[in-house]
Amino acid sequence: MTHGRCNVCRARCPVLEPAAAVLTPSAAWWQAGAHGSMQALVDGLAQRAGVSFAVELPDGSVCRGGGDKPSFTVVFHTDAALVSAFTRAHIGLLESYFDGSVDLTGDLGNAFAAAMSAGLDLQSRPWNELENLLHELRHSNASPAQAKANARAHYGLGTEFYRLWLDDPLMMYTCGYWPAGTTTLEQAQRNKIDHVCRKLRLARGERYVDVGCGFGGFMFRALETTGALGTGINTTTEQVHWLRDEIGRRGLADRLSVREADFRETGGPFDKVVSIGVLEHAGRDQLAEVIRAHAELLRPGGLGMLHFIGHLGRFETELFIRKHVFPGGWIPSLADAIVAMEHCGLEVLDVENLRRHYAPTLDAWAERFDRRWDEIQALNPARFDERFRRVWRIYLVSCAEMFRSPAGYTHLFQVLFSKGNVTASSYPMGREHVYGR
């Protein structure tokens, strides 16, 4: 850079120059001279994001933007990491961070908030889009066998792993509910379950199915508070075995049960259907099929709840999440989900957007994950290594900022529905039963 701030690219660079030929127009600054243009890029991003930050290049020179003390610094250790960042956008930068050729000092949350404010999450490269397409071809949830493998890759990491950073004892791995006065993750998860139960009017003796039941937290809490009888469906073998043993240990086998099955393998009919965090795992082309399976689980006149991450509009699902966190995952649009429900004869009774509630949930998970990392690593040092830590920290912190962003298009919806139209006598005309007003 000029004015003594950077001296890395005054000469032609034999490592980076060949990459310039394949850069997309949005990265064409490199062709005009990476050095001075790097400072211009940093200045532009700092201005758009409204934050001060710095970039340290492999020779130790530093480009600063924003004027004040940097809230974070991106440190490139190799030229190859620079090439990866500017040819593969944020995917290249993240994967360089995972392998240790990039580090970040300072506030990781501020870094992601700044990137999203600057619109970097909306940028892509043609080869990233191609990689996302190839990922779908390899990991599509179209077949139950692949869907099961995808689920086990994430949810099969072991009960002890999740116990260390989820709420105790319910271990709910979905968005909590944080109305005024909520101060802990445990409260937020109990609030969420109770909120769903009130919407569904879940009552003693009713039979419901919990699709994608995880560690059974919903079923245990709902039995305690409503007396309803639950059947869980889960395709993750490790969770099913643990939950079946836990139900037996608590002496609840006459009231709760769990079945290892694909979400599309329907049973029933049930009085109520609970589906918390399932549609994200339907897959790119299976949304209608999975929603139809939910409808078939429900008796005529029964009520159901779809609680899921959804887009406002149609967007590609983030490659980082699909490749490194949730293989086969696909975030549907709210509109597409509702159309699929209409085609199954389901009446939409209520849609609530809980986007803001996911940020504090993820904050709590990230704080616990960091605080208990030594215990996590001790469970299995080979599996839970430094790369795993970096991937999961990025996952938890970036998603928190995504849901916190006022400009984001990824939200969290609760859609209450009935199988066929409700009447004035079959469901309350107001919402007093939900909010107590």
Side-chain angles (χ1 to χ4, degrees):
M1 299 298 166
T2 57
H3 308 297
R5 285 188 285 186
C6 272
N7 297 303
V8 67
C9 288
R10 288 181 178 171
R12 295 164 69 87
C13 177
V15 175
L16 299 175
E17 186 179 29
V22 296
L23 294 180
T24 62
S26 62
W29 63 270
W30 196 278
Q31 300 170 0
H35 202 44
S37 296
M38 170 67 90
Q39 184 62 56
L41 177 64
V42 170
D43 288 339
L45 291 176
Q47 182 177 15
R48 296 207 309 272
V51 68
S52 298
F53 73 99
V55 174
E56 182 177 327
L57 296 169
D59 73 339
S61 57
V62 179
C63 309
R64 294 182 174 86
D68 299 328
K69 181 180 178 181
S71 64
F72 62 90
T73 300
V74 180
V75 181
F76 287 91
H77 297 300
T78 67
D79 289 335
L82 277 171
V83 173
S84 183
F86 287 108
T87 56
R88 300 182 62 230
H90 66 284
I91 293 296
L93 179 62
L94 291 177
E95 292 187 345
S96 295
Y97 173 76
F98 300 155
D99 67 25
S101 56
V102 166
D103 279 312
L104 187 141
T105 61
D107 193 312
L108 183 60
N110 279 354
F112 276 102
M116 292 174 192
S117 295
L120 296 186
D121 57 322
L122 301 177
Q123 296 183 9
S124 185
R125 298 287 185 267
W127 34 95
N128 288 352
E129 296 172 6
L130 176 60
E131 188 174 359
N132 210 343
L133 176 60
L134 292 174
H135 178 91
E136 178 64 22
L137 293 175
R138 290 193 300 266
H139 297 283
S140 169
N141 282 332
S143 80
Q146 186 60 54
K148 184 180 188 67
N150 290 340
R152 293 184 70 185
H154 186 93
Y155 296 101
L157 292 172
T159 305
E160 294 310 311
F161 165 70
Y162 285 106
R163 192 194 304 277
L164 286 172
W165 54 276
L166 296 180
D167 61 300
D168 180 25
L170 298 178
M171 292 192 289
M172 295 296 294
Y173 189 21
T174 50
C175 177
Y177 183 52
W178 299 77
T182 304
T183 59
T184 69
L185 179 64
E186 281 70 21
Q187 274 184 290
Q189 295 295 7
R190 290 194 301 270
N191 290 345
K192 184 261 303 293
I193 295 170
D194 296 347
H195 194 52
V196 172
C197 288
R198 289 193 297 269
K199 288 184 177 184
L200 287 170
R201 307 281 283 170
L202 203 57
R204 180 172 301 277
E206 286 188 320
R207 295 176 62 252
Y208 72 90
V209 60
D210 183 356
V211 184
C213 59
F215 296 106
F218 182 93
M219 295 197 296
F220 291 130
R221 174 71 176 176
L223 178 63
E224 174 188 347
T225 59
T226 73
L229 309 177
T231 297
I233 296 177
N234 196 334
T235 192
T236 302
T237 302
E238 292 80 0
Q239 289 184 330
V240 170
H241 289 174
W242 181 87
L243 179 54
R244 187 173 289 139
D245 289 344
E246 184 65 10
I247 289 171
R249 188 187 71 80
R250 298 189 189 195
L252 301 175
D254 60 330
R255 285 165 283 178
L256 301 178
S257 63
V258 61
R259 181 159 63 92
E260 184 170 358
D262 185 83
F263 306 147
R264 292 159 288 192
E265 297 173 6
T266 58
F270 294 90
D271 299 311
K272 307 285 171 69
V273 169
V274 178
S275 178
I276 301 177
V278 171
L279 288 196
E280 304 93 318
H281 302 289
R284 188 186 68 180
D285 302 318
Q286 288 75 239
L287 178 65
E289 182 183 5
V290 171
I291 288 179
R292 186 181 309 112
H294 283 69
E296 291 173 354
L297 285 165
L298 197 57
R299 66 166 176 78
L303 298 173
M305 166 70 71
L306 291 174
H307 169 123
F308 65 99
I309 298 170
H311 284 154
L312 291 180
R314 288 177 177 164
F315 295 92
E316 293 288 321
T317 298
E318 167 59 44
L319 175 60
F320 155 65
I321 288 292
R322 304 189 79 212
K323 182 177 179 181
H324 296 284
V325 184
F326 292 106
W330 187 265
I331 297 175
S333 79
L334 173 64
D336 286 342
I338 289 178
V339 167
M341 295 171 73
E342 291 173 349
H343 290 165
C344 295
L346 302 177
E347 180 185 24
V348 174
L349 300 176
D350 182 79
V351 178
E352 185 174 15
N353 189 335
L354 298 180
R355 172 188 61 81
R356 295 172 297 165
H357 296 253
Y358 225 148
T361 304
L362 284 151
D363 288 341
W365 290 344
E367 187 278 328
R368 294 179 182 203
F369 183 90
D370 282 345
R371 175 161 46 87
R372 307 196 72 175
W373 170 248
D374 289 343
E375 295 171 76
I376 292 171
Q377 190 174 38
L379 294 174
N380 187 335
R383 168 179 276 182
F384 304 126
D385 59 9
E386 176 61 13
R387 181 181 178 86
F388 180 95
R389 186 187 74 87
R390 290 185 174 221
V391 169
W392 275 66
R393 288 194 77 237
I394 292 293
Y395 153 52
L396 295 171
V397 173
S398 67
C399 285
E401 296 307 324
M402 175 184 68
F403 285 109
R404 200 174 348 257
S405 171
Y409 55 82
T410 306
H411 295 235
L412 190 285
F413 300 106
Q414 286 189 345
V415 181
L416 179 69
F417 62 90
S418 65
K419 190 168 186 176
N421 291 354
V422 297
T423 66
S425 60
S426 66
Y427 197 78
M429 298 290 281
R431 298 185 178 185
E432 296 83 0
H433 64 290
V434 177
Y435 299 105
R437 298 192 187 96

PDB file of all heavy atoms in Angstrom, residues 4-8 35 55-64 73 75-79:
ATOM      1  N   GLY A   4       3.229   4.003   3.344  1.00  0.00           N
ATOM      2  CA  GLY A   4       3.850   3.137   4.326  1.00  0.00           C
ATOM      3  C   GLY A   4       2.949   2.095   4.934  1.00  0.00           C
ATOM      4  O   GLY A   4       3.342   1.411   5.864  1.00  0.00           O
ATOM      5  N   ARG A   5       1.714   1.953   4.420  1.00  0.00           N
ATOM      6  CA  ARG A   5       0.803   1.000   5.061  1.00  0.00           C
ATOM      7  C   ARG A   5       0.961  -0.410   4.526  1.00  0.00           C
ATOM      8  O   ARG A   5       0.662  -1.362   5.208  1.00  0.00           O
ATOM      9  CB  ARG A   5      -0.649   1.477   4.893  1.00  0.00           C
ATOM     10  CG  ARG A   5      -0.989   2.627   5.799  1.00  0.00           C
ATOM     11  CD  ARG A   5      -2.456   2.962   5.755  1.00  0.00           C
ATOM     12  NE  ARG A   5      -2.799   3.669   4.522  1.00  0.00           N
ATOM     13  CZ  ARG A   5      -3.997   4.188   4.288  1.00  0.00           C
ATOM     14  NH1 ARG A   5      -4.955   4.061   5.181  1.00  0.00           N
ATOM     15  NH2 ARG A   5      -4.233   4.832   3.167  1.00  0.00           N
ATOM     16  N   CYS A   6       1.363  -0.593   3.288  1.00  0.00           N
ATOM     17  CA  CYS A   6       1.563  -1.924   2.719  1.00  0.00           C
ATOM     18  C   CYS A   6       2.630  -1.838   1.639  1.00  0.00           C
ATOM     19  O   CYS A   6       2.678  -0.869   0.898  1.00  0.00           O
ATOM     20  CB  CYS A   6       0.277  -2.465   2.093  1.00  0.00           C
ATOM     21  SG  CYS A   6      -0.774  -3.350   3.233  1.00  0.00           S
ATOM     22  N   ASN A   7       3.429  -2.866   1.537  1.00  0.00           N
ATOM     23  CA  ASN A   7       4.461  -2.905   0.504  1.00  0.00           C
ATOM     24  C   ASN A   7       4.510  -4.253  -0.194  1.00  0.00           C
ATOM     25  O   ASN A   7       5.549  -4.665  -0.678  1.00  0.00           O
ATOM     26  CB  ASN A   7       5.843  -2.625   1.125  1.00  0.00           C
ATOM     27  CG  ASN A   7       5.908  -1.237   1.715  1.00  0.00           C
ATOM     28  OD1 ASN A   7       5.684  -0.257   1.020  1.00  0.00           O
ATOM     29  ND2 ASN A   7       6.198  -1.159   3.009  1.00  0.00           N
ATOM     30  N   VAL A   8       3.360  -4.947  -0.238  1.00  0.00           N
ATOM     31  CA  VAL A   8       3.408  -6.346  -0.643  1.00  0.00           C
ATOM     32  C   VAL A   8       3.395  -6.544  -2.145  1.00  0.00           C
ATOM     33  O   VAL A   8       3.916  -7.524  -2.635  1.00  0.00           O
ATOM     34  CB  VAL A   8       2.234  -7.136   0.007  1.00  0.00           C
ATOM     35  CG1 VAL A   8       0.918  -6.672  -0.555  1.00  0.00           C
ATOM     36  CG2 VAL A   8       2.406  -8.615  -0.201  1.00  0.00           C
ATOM     37  N   HIS A  35      -1.871  -4.105  -4.708  1.00  0.00           N
ATOM     38  CA  HIS A  35      -1.431  -3.402  -3.520  1.00  0.00           C
ATOM     39  C   HIS A  35      -2.291  -2.192  -3.190  1.00  0.00           C
ATOM     40  O   HIS A  35      -2.973  -2.161  -2.166  1.00  0.00           O
ATOM     41  CB  HIS A  35       0.012  -2.976  -3.742  1.00  0.00           C
ATOM     42  CG  HIS A  35       0.721  -2.722  -2.468  1.00  0.00           C
ATOM     43  ND1 HIS A  35       0.629  -3.542  -1.391  1.00  0.00           N
ATOM     44  CD2 HIS A  35       1.516  -1.685  -2.113  1.00  0.00           C
ATOM     45  CE1 HIS A  35       1.371  -3.047  -0.419  1.00  0.00           C
ATOM     46  NE2 HIS A  35       1.908  -1.915  -0.828  1.00  0.00           N
ATOM     47  N   VAL A  55      -6.583  -5.826   7.616  1.00  0.00           N
ATOM     48  CA  VAL A  55      -6.162  -7.041   6.916  1.00  0.00           C
ATOM     49  C   VAL A  55      -4.640  -7.073   6.951  1.00  0.00           C
ATOM     50  O   VAL A  55      -3.967  -6.127   6.519  1.00  0.00           O
ATOM     51  CB  VAL A  55      -6.655  -7.064   5.458  1.00  0.00           C
ATOM     52  CG1 VAL A  55      -6.068  -8.267   4.720  1.00  0.00           C
ATOM     53  CG2 VAL A  55      -8.176  -7.088   5.409  1.00  0.00           C
ATOM     54  N   GLU A  56      -4.100  -8.166   7.481  1.00  0.00           N
ATOM     55  CA  GLU A  56      -2.650  -8.360   7.502  1.00  0.00           C
ATOM     56  C   GLU A  56      -2.273  -9.335   6.407  1.00  0.00           C
ATOM     57  O   GLU A  56      -2.825 -10.450   6.327  1.00  0.00           O
ATOM     58  CB  GLU A  56      -2.190  -8.886   8.859  1.00  0.00           C
ATOM     59  CG  GLU A  56      -0.674  -9.065   8.952  1.00  0.00           C
ATOM     60  CD  GLU A  56      -0.220  -9.524  10.316  1.00  0.00           C
ATOM     61  OE1 GLU A  56      -0.865  -9.130  11.322  1.00  0.00           O
ATOM     62  OE2 GLU A  56       0.765 -10.288  10.383  1.00  0.00           O
ATOM     63  N   LEU A  57      -1.341  -8.925   5.537  1.00  0.00           N
ATOM     64  CA  LEU A  57      -0.937  -9.725   4.387  1.00  0.00           C
ATOM     65  C   LEU A  57       0.241 -10.623   4.741  1.00  0.00           C
ATOM     66  O   LEU A  57       0.862 -10.462   5.795  1.00  0.00           O
ATOM     67  CB  LEU A  57      -0.614  -8.798   3.224  1.00  0.00           C
ATOM     68  CG  LEU A  57      -1.843  -7.995   2.749  1.00  0.00           C
ATOM     69  CD1 LEU A  57      -1.427  -6.897   1.783  1.00  0.00           C
ATOM     70  CD2 LEU A  57      -2.881  -8.890   2.133  1.00  0.00           C
ATOM     71  N   PRO A  58       0.570 -11.585   3.878  1.00  0.00           N
ATOM     72  CA  PRO A  58       1.581 -12.581   4.238  1.00  0.00           C
ATOM     73  C   PRO A  58       2.955 -12.008   4.586  1.00  0.00           C
ATOM     74  O   PRO A  58       3.712 -12.637   5.344  1.00  0.00           O
ATOM     75  CB  PRO A  58       1.658 -13.475   2.994  1.00  0.00           C
ATOM     76  CG  PRO A  58       0.296 -13.385   2.399  1.00  0.00           C
ATOM     77  CD  PRO A  58      -0.128 -11.968   2.629  1.00  0.00           C
ATOM     78  N   ASP A  59       3.300 -10.821   4.069  1.00  0.00           N
ATOM     79  CA  ASP A  59       4.608 -10.246   4.397  1.00  0.00           C
ATOM     80  C   ASP A  59       4.587  -9.440   5.689  1.00  0.00           C
ATOM     81  O   ASP A  59       5.592  -8.839   6.072  1.00  0.00           O
ATOM     82  CB  ASP A  59       5.100  -9.366   3.245  1.00  0.00           C
ATOM     83  CG  ASP A  59       4.348  -8.045   3.140  1.00  0.00           C
ATOM     84  OD1 ASP A  59       3.217  -7.969   3.674  1.00  0.00           O
ATOM     85  OD2 ASP A  59       4.883  -7.102   2.529  1.00  0.00           O
ATOM     86  N   GLY A  60       3.424  -9.410   6.380  1.00  0.00           N
ATOM     87  CA  GLY A  60       3.322  -8.691   7.639  1.00  0.00           C
ATOM     88  C   GLY A  60       2.788  -7.278   7.510  1.00  0.00           C
ATOM     89  O   GLY A  60       2.502  -6.635   8.528  1.00  0.00           O
ATOM     90  N   SER A  61       2.660  -6.749   6.302  1.00  0.00           N
ATOM     91  CA  SER A  61       2.114  -5.410   6.125  1.00  0.00           C
ATOM     92  C   SER A  61       0.613  -5.422   6.396  1.00  0.00           C
ATOM     93  O   SER A  61      -0.064  -6.444   6.242  1.00  0.00           O
ATOM     94  CB  SER A  61       2.398  -4.895   4.719  1.00  0.00           C
ATOM     95  OG  SER A  61       1.877  -5.786   3.756  1.00  0.00           O
ATOM     96  N   VAL A  62       0.086  -4.275   6.816  1.00  0.00           N
ATOM     97  CA  VAL A  62      -1.291  -4.199   7.290  1.00  0.00           C
ATOM     98  C   VAL A  62      -2.053  -3.105   6.554  1.00  0.00           C
ATOM     99  O   VAL A  62      -1.554  -1.983   6.401  1.00  0.00           O
ATOM    100  CB  VAL A  62      -1.332  -3.926   8.809  1.00  0.00           C
ATOM    101  CG1 VAL A  62      -2.773  -3.820   9.298  1.00  0.00           C
ATOM    102  CG2 VAL A  62      -0.607  -5.031   9.574  1.00  0.00           C
ATOM    103  N   CYS A  63      -3.238  -3.432   6.118  1.00  0.00           N
ATOM    104  CA  CYS A  63      -4.169  -2.470   5.510  1.00  0.00           C
ATOM    105  C   CYS A  63      -5.294  -2.229   6.505  1.00  0.00           C
ATOM    106  O   CYS A  63      -5.963  -3.175   6.924  1.00  0.00           O
ATOM    107  CB  CYS A  63      -4.744  -3.024   4.211  1.00  0.00           C
ATOM    108  SG  CYS A  63      -3.525  -3.638   3.059  1.00  0.00           S
ATOM    109  N   ARG A  64      -5.491  -0.962   6.866  1.00  0.00           N
ATOM    110  CA  ARG A  64      -6.508  -0.622   7.858  1.00  0.00           C
ATOM    111  C   ARG A  64      -7.626   0.169   7.214  1.00  0.00           C
ATOM    112  O   ARG A  64      -7.381   0.998   6.348  1.00  0.00           O
ATOM    113  CB  ARG A  64      -5.894   0.171   9.007  1.00  0.00           C
ATOM    114  CG  ARG A  64      -4.894  -0.633   9.839  1.00  0.00           C
ATOM    115  CD  ARG A  64      -4.361   0.196  11.001  1.00  0.00           C
ATOM    116  NE  ARG A  64      -3.514  -0.604  11.866  1.00  0.00           N
ATOM    117  CZ  ARG A  64      -2.220  -0.796  11.674  1.00  0.00           C
ATOM    118  NH1 ARG A  64      -1.609  -0.236  10.636  1.00  0.00           N
ATOM    119  NH2 ARG A  64      -1.522  -1.555  12.495  1.00  0.00           N
ATOM    120  N   THR A  73      -9.120  -8.282  12.982  1.00  0.00           N
ATOM    121  CA  THR A  73      -8.081  -8.299  11.956  1.00  0.00           C
ATOM    122  C   THR A  73      -8.074  -9.658  11.268  1.00  0.00           C
ATOM    123  O   THR A  73      -8.026 -10.699  11.943  1.00  0.00           O
ATOM    124  CB  THR A  73      -6.689  -8.027  12.553  1.00  0.00           C
ATOM    125  OG1 THR A  73      -6.685  -6.736  13.175  1.00  0.00           O
ATOM    126  CG2 THR A  73      -5.604  -8.062  11.483  1.00  0.00           C
ATOM    127  N   VAL A  75      -5.949 -12.154   9.149  1.00  0.00           N
ATOM    128  CA  VAL A  75      -4.520 -12.365   8.955  1.00  0.00           C
ATOM    129  C   VAL A  75      -4.312 -13.457   7.913  1.00  0.00           C
ATOM    130  O   VAL A  75      -4.668 -14.625   8.141  1.00  0.00           O
ATOM    131  CB  VAL A  75      -3.831 -12.770  10.276  1.00  0.00           C
ATOM    132  CG1 VAL A  75      -2.326 -12.951  10.055  1.00  0.00           C
ATOM    133  CG2 VAL A  75      -4.094 -11.732  11.362  1.00  0.00           C
ATOM    134  N   PHE A  76      -3.752 -13.081   6.764  1.00  0.00           N
ATOM    135  CA  PHE A  76      -3.405 -14.049   5.718  1.00  0.00           C
ATOM    136  C   PHE A  76      -1.971 -14.514   5.937  1.00  0.00           C
ATOM    137  O   PHE A  76      -1.044 -13.706   5.963  1.00  0.00           O
ATOM    138  CB  PHE A  76      -3.532 -13.417   4.330  1.00  0.00           C
ATOM    139  CG  PHE A  76      -4.938 -13.195   3.881  1.00  0.00           C
ATOM    140  CD1 PHE A  76      -5.592 -11.996   4.151  1.00  0.00           C
ATOM    141  CD2 PHE A  76      -5.621 -14.186   3.196  1.00  0.00           C
ATOM    142  CE1 PHE A  76      -6.896 -11.785   3.731  1.00  0.00           C
ATOM    143  CE2 PHE A  76      -6.929 -13.984   2.777  1.00  0.00           C
ATOM    144  CZ  PHE A  76      -7.563 -12.783   3.049  1.00  0.00           C
ATOM    145  N   HIS A  77      -1.781 -15.822   6.058  1.00  0.00           N
ATOM    146  CA  HIS A  77      -0.444 -16.366   6.269  1.00  0.00           C
ATOM    147  C   HIS A  77       0.238 -16.759   4.961  1.00  0.00           C
ATOM    148  O   HIS A  77       1.471 -16.880   4.922  1.00  0.00           O
ATOM    149  CB  HIS A  77      -0.502 -17.592   7.191  1.00  0.00           C
ATOM    150  CG  HIS A  77      -0.993 -17.277   8.577  1.00  0.00           C
ATOM    151  ND1 HIS A  77      -0.359 -16.390   9.415  1.00  0.00           N
ATOM    152  CD2 HIS A  77      -2.077 -17.732   9.263  1.00  0.00           C
ATOM    153  CE1 HIS A  77      -1.007 -16.319  10.567  1.00  0.00           C
ATOM    154  NE2 HIS A  77      -2.064 -17.120  10.492  1.00  0.00           N
ATOM    155  N   THR A  78      -0.549 -16.989   3.906  1.00  0.00           N
ATOM    156  CA  THR A  78       0.017 -17.452   2.636  1.00  0.00           C
ATOM    157  C   THR A  78      -0.601 -16.712   1.462  1.00  0.00           C
ATOM    158  O   THR A  78      -1.745 -16.248   1.533  1.00  0.00           O
ATOM    159  CB  THR A  78      -0.229 -18.963   2.437  1.00  0.00           C
ATOM    160  OG1 THR A  78      -1.637 -19.188   2.275  1.00  0.00           O
ATOM    161  CG2 THR A  78       0.293 -19.783   3.612  1.00  0.00           C
ATOM    162  N   ASP A  79       0.154 -16.627   0.368  1.00  0.00           N
ATOM    163  CA  ASP A  79      -0.389 -16.063  -0.867  1.00  0.00           C
ATOM    164  C   ASP A  79      -1.527 -16.928  -1.406  1.00  0.00           C
ATOM    165  O   ASP A  79      -2.480 -16.418  -2.001  1.00  0.00           O
ATOM    166  CB  ASP A  79       0.715 -15.937  -1.918  1.00  0.00           C
ATOM    167  CG  ASP A  79       1.708 -14.833  -1.588  1.00  0.00           C
ATOM    168  OD1 ASP A  79       1.330 -13.897  -0.862  1.00  0.00           O
ATOM    169  OD2 ASP A  79       2.857 -14.917  -2.048  1.00  0.00           O
TER     170      ASP A  79
END
